[in-house]
């Protein structure tokens, strides 16, 4: 049994006791909201919220970061026409955060955002970079088994490391191809899509738009593997304060030293 698998199984066995200890006195109300209330304080940013910002207490000062202004986002995502998008405070690439000063934020929220990153490791690195000492990174990603990504192949850690070290251009077309085959067209087996002329047309159109797809997909095991890789292989210094599964979502709280 690999060390990552052993960690995951151990967490599963001990999750109730561990989570109660971490969230006391919130043990009787373990939820996304109780996690937010315990860990997020002060002033920070949320990346790529669109119409689904994380629900936070009024006491928090949250600025919203996205790659386009609200009006441009509404044009880019016509399927969200009936939804109310948040006002964008900072126009910036959410993976790079070039407009955000190092060590300036009490918290960073990446709620349903990391799967949209072409280079997730580089994105996490920049999120940690802009945090103050003791700052909190709130990550939540969908468990691919419980969403429209269920038939897509899991992204291996070797793929993520290559995206980080070489840049993600090498894998971009592959991701759009998967998205069209398994999500847009609903195939459950890639071989069944062979000869479907719509695949190439839709892939090329979405790539030209720079449409924000789910580039990468994970289950809890792979997210744990990613955290172990960041700490053990890349020697990053952060603490995993919480690992929690809720309604098909994987929630992690990382703390900067």
């Amino acid at each position: 049994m690999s060390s990552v698998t052993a960690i995951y199984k151990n967490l599963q066995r001990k999750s109730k006791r561990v989570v109660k200890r971490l969230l006391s006195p919130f043990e009787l109300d373990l939820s996304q909201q109780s996690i937010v209330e315990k860990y997020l304080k002060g002033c920070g940013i949320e990346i790529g919220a669109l119409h689904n910002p994380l629900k936070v207490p009024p006491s928090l000062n949250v600025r919203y970061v996205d790659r386009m202004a609200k009006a441009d986002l509404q044009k880019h995502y016509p399927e969200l026409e009936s939804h109310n998008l948040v006002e964008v405070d900072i126009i910036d690439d959410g993976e790079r955060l070039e407009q955000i000063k190092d060590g300036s934020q009490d918290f960073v929220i990446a709620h349903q955002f990391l799967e949209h990153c072409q280079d997730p490791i580089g994105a996490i690195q920049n999120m940690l970079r802009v945090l103050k000492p003791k700052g909190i990174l709130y990550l939540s990603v969908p468990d691919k088994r419980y969403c429209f990504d269920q038939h897509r192949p899991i992204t291996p850690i070797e793929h993520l490391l290559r995206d980080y070290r070489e840049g993600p251009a090498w894998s971009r077309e592959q991701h759009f191809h998967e998205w069209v085959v398994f999500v847009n067209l609903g195939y459950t087996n890639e071989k069944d899509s062979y000869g479907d002329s719509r695949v190439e047309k839709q892939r090329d159109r979405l790539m030209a738009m720079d449409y924000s797809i789910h580039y990468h997909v994970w289950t809890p095991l792979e997210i744990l593997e990613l955290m172990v890789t960041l700490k053990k292989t890349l020697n990053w210094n952060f603490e995993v304060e919480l690992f929690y599964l809720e309604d098909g979502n994987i929630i992690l709280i990382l703390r900067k030293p």
Side-chain angles (χ1 to χ4, degrees):
M1 182 184 297
S2 72
S3 60
V4 172
T5 302
I7 290 171
Y8 181 49
K9 289 185 177 298
N10 190 49
L11 277 171
Q12 285 182 314
R13 288 195 297 268
K14 299 181 178 180
S15 61
K16 290 185 179 180
R17 179 172 61 81
V18 171
V19 167
K20 284 184 178 181
R21 177 174 57 81
L22 286 171
L23 288 178
S24 182
F26 297 93
E27 61 267 28
L28 298 180
D29 183 29
L30 181 58
S31 65
Q32 183 183 81
Q33 194 61 33
S34 65
I35 292 169
V36 166
E37 291 174 359
K38 177 172 176 62
Y39 287 102
L40 301 186
K41 311 292 181 184
C43 303
I45 58 173
E46 179 170 355
I47 308 168
L50 292 177
H51 64 296
N52 187 36
L54 186 66
K55 293 181 180 179
V56 299
S59 59
L60 286 188
N61 183 354
V62 183
R63 293 184 299 164
Y64 294 99
V65 179
D66 218 308
R67 58 183 179 148
M68 304 176 194
K70 178 179 178 180
D72 295 323
L73 288 169
Q74 289 172 323
K75 293 176 183 177
H76 191 74
Y77 301 107
E79 67 273 22
L80 299 180
E81 182 180 4
S82 62
H83 296 274
N84 183 29
L85 276 60
V86 300
E87 294 292 341
V88 177
D89 300 299
I90 303 169
I91 298 176
D92 198 356
D93 184 327
E95 294 192 46
R96 295 190 175 93
L97 299 177
E98 293 174 341
Q99 305 300 317
I100 312 295
K101 293 181 180 179
D102 295 1
S104 61
Q105 306 299 309
D106 293 313
F107 60 84
V108 172
I109 299 169
H111 174 52
Q112 305 291 296
F113 173 72
L114 194 66
E115 66 275 10
H116 293 275
C117 295
Q118 297 186 61
D119 173 15
I121 294 178
I124 294 172
Q125 185 175 44
N126 283 314
M127 294 173 200
L128 292 171
R129 170 182 60 80
V130 304
L131 285 174
K132 296 177 181 178
K134 308 300 181 183
I136 290 292
L137 172 54
Y138 178 105
L139 290 173
S140 70
V141 297
D143 183 332
K144 77 119 185 171
R145 298 171 298 177
Y146 304 109
C147 70
F148 47 70
D149 289 318
Q150 61 183 301
H151 298 296
R152 294 179 64 185
I154 291 169
T155 305
I157 191 65
E158 294 80 11
H159 180 120
L160 298 178
L161 286 168
R162 185 177 175 188
D163 283 342
Y164 175 63
R165 290 165 172 160
E166 300 179 17
W170 71 275
S171 61
R172 189 167 184 268
E173 184 175 304
Q174 172 191 338
H175 292 309
F176 277 93
H177 175 84
E178 284 182 11
W179 178 266
V180 169
V181 169
F182 294 109
V183 180
N184 276 17
L185 299 179
Y187 285 103
T188 59
N189 187 314
E190 185 175 6
K191 290 182 179 179
D192 294 338
S193 72
Y194 294 171
D196 189 333
S197 61
R198 296 175 297 172
V199 173
E200 184 175 351
K201 290 178 181 178
Q202 290 192 24
R203 180 200 68 201
D204 292 348
R205 179 177 62 84
L206 293 175
M207 288 181 68
M209 289 175 61
D210 195 21
Y211 193 82
S212 182
I213 65 169
H214 287 191
Y215 287 94
H216 305 282
V217 296
W218 300 283
T219 72
L221 179 61
E222 288 75 39
I223 291 295
L224 281 171
E225 183 181 27
L226 174 58
M227 294 300 109
V228 172
T229 299
L230 296 183
K231 290 186 70 69
K232 299 296 185 180
T233 302
L234 299 181
N235 296 312
W236 289 9
N237 188 15
F238 65 88
E239 294 299 326
V240 179
E241 294 267 326
L242 178 70
F243 174 85
Y244 179 60
L245 309 180
E246 181 184 63
D247 297 331
N249 291 316
I250 307 161
I251 300 174
L252 290 111
I253 298 293
L254 309 186
R255 187 183 296 277
K256 185 174 180 176

